[in-house]
Amino acid sequence: MALPSSPTDFTLAEARDALRARAISSTELTSAFVSQVAAARPLNAFITETPERALEMAAASDVRLSAGEARPLEGLPLAIKDLFCTRGVRTTAASRILDNFVPPYESTVTQNLWDAGAVLLGKTNMDEFAMGSSNETSHFNPVVNPWRARNSNQSVVPGGSSGGSAAAVAGRLCLGATGTDTGGSIRQPAALTGVVGLKPTYGRCSRWGIVAFASSLDQAGPMARTVRDAAILLRAMASVDPKDSTSVDVPVPDYEHEIEAGVKGLRVGVPKEYRSDGAPSEIDRLWTKGIGWMRSEGAEIVDISLPHTKYALPAYYIVAPAEASSNLARYDGVRYGHRAADVRDVSDLYERSRAEGFGAEVRRRVLIGCYVLSAGYYDAYYVRAQKVRTLIARDFVKAFERCDVLLTPSTPGPAFALGEKTADPVSMYLNDVFTVPVNLAGLPAVSVPAGLTTDGLPLGLQVIGKAFDEQLVLRVARSIERAAGFDATPNAWWRAA
Amino acid sequence: MSVDKKTVRHIARLARIALKDEQVEPMVNELNNILAWVQQLEEVDVAGVPPLTSVVEQRLKMRDDVVTEGGQADALMANAPQSEENFFVVPRVVE
């Protein structure tokens, strides 16, 4: 087989095949990625690197590979978002309040990956508690996007909250990564870094052992260079888990199986509410292109309306903070995590540990959540938002009576400069305008890289499917990937930094 | 609806997050910006619409009420900021 010039240029599928053909060993492959990770520290994509563990796992995989006992991900080096608990490896959620936390247990999703033979390269940086859309709320400093605009030295954000995972995949620091997506935290950074990011149906991947943000919305998923790689990873990550009562009893199919089947005869819905006001943006132009690709591949284009789309973000910014304020009540400075020094009494211990441990965005969201759940405001804010959520979910149900998948842009724009949107929380929230409705309805959706702006920054298109229709979502995404022929890569400026 | 300083101090107390005096005013403004923005939900006619509490259409699973992974006190205590003989230690609560 034809090998790329460097093993870090392999896709995950190519690396899998090369390992099985014994063209390369996992130790060689893993060493190459360990060096890439170390050389890419200017990106700040990792909070914790685990090179020794990676090489031990690779050596164990090489034994299995020689014995012909390879499991589905045998010897493939991955990066794990620092929201997944990993036994014996510090897990911070990018928060000061967990900066010394070493879990005594393993999340179900990561356990599934290790059981499939994958290799841990390290834990990736993210927005604190997954609250953010630019990776700038991390206690461990922002991640820098491997991409820069053409002829520019300006750093841009990788998106968030899974910004470290996105940057690690885009910068070829790993073969694939895990992310989590509560309002767009896989798909938005995937779009901004030119990689594939899939948010599965709520209940497809176990939430057990993932630091909780908003439990009715959180879902883990893969981030990878290609649609096929995302399919391979999803199959390994997904499971039915007795430890998560919202894990749904649906068998995990082979997501790779029908991925090349194309879109001929499919009905692709185009929701008019995702069109931006005013002059068509670069995003609109890319979307129009995507619609054209679908049509020329034999799909039928159906005009769809999702009338409550504009209310998704405000509903989300009530529901998600409400759940967060409840989930984050556990950080009390007593059982684990940061504890304030020299406290007066137990109230002072709670209040100061939490004030010192949480960053500004987390404090803001916990307070908003606390307010909308408080006596006298619960019905006006929280219950109303939950009703609007019903209307948003119904919009999708209606739409899927007339089409098989929906095609939309992933984000309202490309990667922006560090610091550009931090002063105004609401302007930051607007980044998730196209991704949040999907979480509110619990549906699967993928962002696939589809082109570059005139400045040379990547843009993505989003494919949304019916619940548990990941196979079709991936098949359509593969069709876009093939039509787009997206093969641009960031120039590795950080190596000279 | 909007919040004032008194309300912000109250919810910060409910959330057990200490706010310094100089943090209260900026927090009032930040929260009011967000609340003004979510106000648009009032335009939506939600009469007769039930609140969505779960997107999963399946009955909540039941399991036998038995210990599954017990007997791990050492692992549970390993991250405690302060402990003594497998108890978490906090400042005196009862005088």
Side-chain angles (χ1 to χ4, degrees):
Chain A
M1 67 190 285
L3 292 179
S5 55
S6 157
T8 56
D9 288 335
F10 278 125
T11 66
L12 184 129
E14 287 168 351
R16 174 184 66 180
D17 297 344
L19 284 172
R20 293 194 183 179
R22 316 305 316 280
I24 189 169
S25 70
S26 176
T27 301
E28 289 168 300
L29 185 66
T30 303
S31 303
F33 278 109
V34 164
S35 310
Q36 286 282 94
V37 169
R41 290 199 187 119
L43 299 178
N44 200 29
F46 286 80
I47 292 175
T48 304
E49 297 172 16
T50 57
E52 293 87 8
R53 181 175 289 230
L55 291 167
E56 277 168 31
M57 292 172 100
S61 284
D62 281 331
V63 172
R64 280 194 173 249
L65 283 157
S66 330
E69 292 167 358
R71 297 163 292 179
L73 300 180
E74 197 69 61
L76 300 172
L78 304 180
I80 302 297
K81 187 178 186 180
D82 210 19
L83 203 63
F84 293 80
C85 286
T86 41
R87 191 186 297 114
V89 177
R90 182 171 78 138
T91 300
T92 67
S95 181
R96 186 182 178 205
I97 212 156
L98 284 175
D99 74 353
N100 58 2
F101 180 62
V102 180
Y105 54 90
E106 188 78 33
S107 81
T108 298
V109 164
T110 48
Q111 188 62 55
N112 289 344
L113 291 172
W114 316 141
D115 289 347
V119 167
L120 170 66
L121 284 167
K123 304 295 292 291
T124 55
N125 202 347
M126 51 181 282
D127 281 296
E128 184 180 4
F129 282 107
M131 296 179 194
S133 305
S134 66
N135 217 114
E136 291 168 288
T137 71
S138 170
H139 174 60
F140 300 91
N141 300 314
V143 174
V144 177
N145 195 326
W147 292 84
R148 286 172 169 176
R150 218 171 269 130
N151 307 320
S152 165
N153 289 329
Q154 165 84 58
S155 287
V156 295
V157 301
S161 70
S162 310
S165 289
V169 174
R172 306 205 168 174
L173 317 183
C174 59
L175 288 170
T178 63
T180 61
D181 191 315
T182 304
S185 280
I186 288 175
R187 291 159 288 154
Q188 186 257 15
L192 269 45
T193 58
V195 306
V196 177
L198 170 71
K199 183 204 94 73
T201 309
Y202 183 82
R204 176 71 290 177
C205 291
S206 171
R207 292 180 296 108
W208 195 82
I210 301 173
V211 175
F213 161 15
S215 302
S216 78
L217 302 161
D218 297 343
Q219 183 59 205
M223 306 179 79
R225 294 226 340 257
T226 69
V227 174
R228 178 176 294 278
D229 290 359
I232 295 169
L233 286 171
L234 177 62
R235 190 183 185 188
M237 291 168 71
S239 61
V240 180
D241 185 10
K243 289 173 170 168
D244 174 0
S245 62
T246 59
S247 154
V248 179
D249 293 320
V250 174
V252 180
D254 178 357
Y255 294 109
E256 251 187 298
H257 182 54
E258 287 186 344
I259 206 164
E260 300 290 348
V263 297
K264 199 168 166 31
L266 285 181
R267 295 168 305 165
V268 175
V270 174
K272 65 174 184 205
E273 289 79 6
Y274 283 59
R275 193 72 66 185
S276 56
D277 300 329
S281 61
E282 289 201 88
I283 298 281
D284 284 331
R285 283 200 291 273
L286 181 76
W287 191 18
T288 303
K289 227 186 210 177
I291 293 165
W293 293 330
M294 294 290 93
R295 198 178 274 125
S296 58
E297 301 268 327
E300 179 196 343
I301 303 301
V302 184
D303 288 325
I304 292 291
S305 174
L306 298 168
H308 297 91
T309 298
K310 71 174 278 210
Y311 301 109
L313 264 182
Y316 175 87
Y317 274 95
I318 290 174
V319 173
E323 295 186 17
S325 78
S326 165
N327 271 325
L328 271 58
R330 73 193 69 188
Y331 304 101
D332 55 9
V334 174
R335 291 156 300 156
Y336 44 78
H338 174 76
R339 179 176 203 160
D342 304 321
V343 294
R344 281 195 315 273
D345 52 30
V346 78
S347 272
D348 195 40
L349 166 73
Y350 297 149
E351 293 187 355
R352 283 186 34 226
S353 297
R354 289 164 65 77
E356 293 170 9
F358 293 148
E361 181 63 23
V362 174
R363 285 199 298 267
R364 190 151 50 224
R365 293 208 199 178
V366 169
L367 293 188
I368 280 277
C370 212
Y371 178 66
V372 300
L373 290 175
S374 65
Y377 300 102
Y378 180 81
D379 287 328
Y381 286 110
Y382 185 70
V383 175
R384 173 167 282 266
Q386 293 283 55
K387 289 177 178 173
V388 172
R389 192 176 173 186
T390 298
L391 295 173
I392 288 159
R394 283 181 187 169
D395 282 355
F396 282 107
V397 170
K398 266 204 192 133
F400 284 126
E401 287 168 3
R402 297 182 50 225
C403 63
D404 302 301
V405 293
L406 294 163
L407 178 67
T408 78
S410 301
T411 60
F416 44 93
L418 281 138
E420 190 178 317
K421 300 191 182 198
T422 41
D424 178 6
V426 173
S427 80
M428 186 68 86
Y429 300 167
L430 292 174
N431 270 289
D432 296 328
V433 62
F434 298 146
T435 48
V436 149
V438 172
N439 298 76
L440 292 173
L443 302 173
V446 64
S447 176
V448 58
L452 297 174
T453 63
T454 46
D455 284 341
L457 289 172
L459 295 172
L461 289 174
Q462 174 175 240
V463 181
I464 307 170
K466 298 173 193 167
F468 293 99
D469 212 2
E470 281 84 356
Q471 272 178 300
L472 187 62
V473 165
L474 286 161
R475 198 173 115 194
V476 175
R478 172 65 191 128
S479 189
I480 293 169
E481 183 180 54
R482 211 165 34 213
F486 185 90
D487 57 2
T489 53
N491 76 357
W493 54 265
W494 57 89
R495 289 171 157 265
Chain B
M1 278 177 278
S2 61
V3 294
D4 55 15
K5 284 192 196 177
K6 194 175 156 229
T7 312
V8 164
R9 284 185 203 277
H10 174 62
I11 55 177
R13 171 76 188 144
L14 291 176
R16 296 291 186 275
I17 295 177
L19 283 186
K20 298 190 184 101
D21 286 341
E22 68 268 23
Q23 290 177 313
V24 174
E25 185 77 50
M27 188 62 85
V28 167
N29 295 331
E30 289 169 14
L31 297 194
N32 280 336
N33 278 341
I34 296 168
L35 291 171
W37 173 66
V38 302
Q39 203 88 21
Q40 54 181 304
L41 292 182
E42 286 176 18
E43 302 160 22
V44 186
D45 179 7
V46 294
V49 178
L52 191 155
T53 50
S54 171
V55 291
V56 178
E57 286 177 28
Q58 86 175 359
R59 286 177 69 90
L60 201 55
K61 296 175 197 174
M62 305 292 272
R63 65 164 176 83
D64 293 334
D65 188 12
V66 292
V67 175
T68 49
E69 293 181 60
Q72 301 187 50
D74 289 346
L76 282 169
M77 300 306 293
N79 282 287
Q82 203 185 339
S83 65
E84 258 180 55
E85 295 173 9
N86 286 345
F87 286 96
F88 297 106
V89 176
V90 296
R92 180 183 295 274
V93 177
V94 181
E95 294 297 334

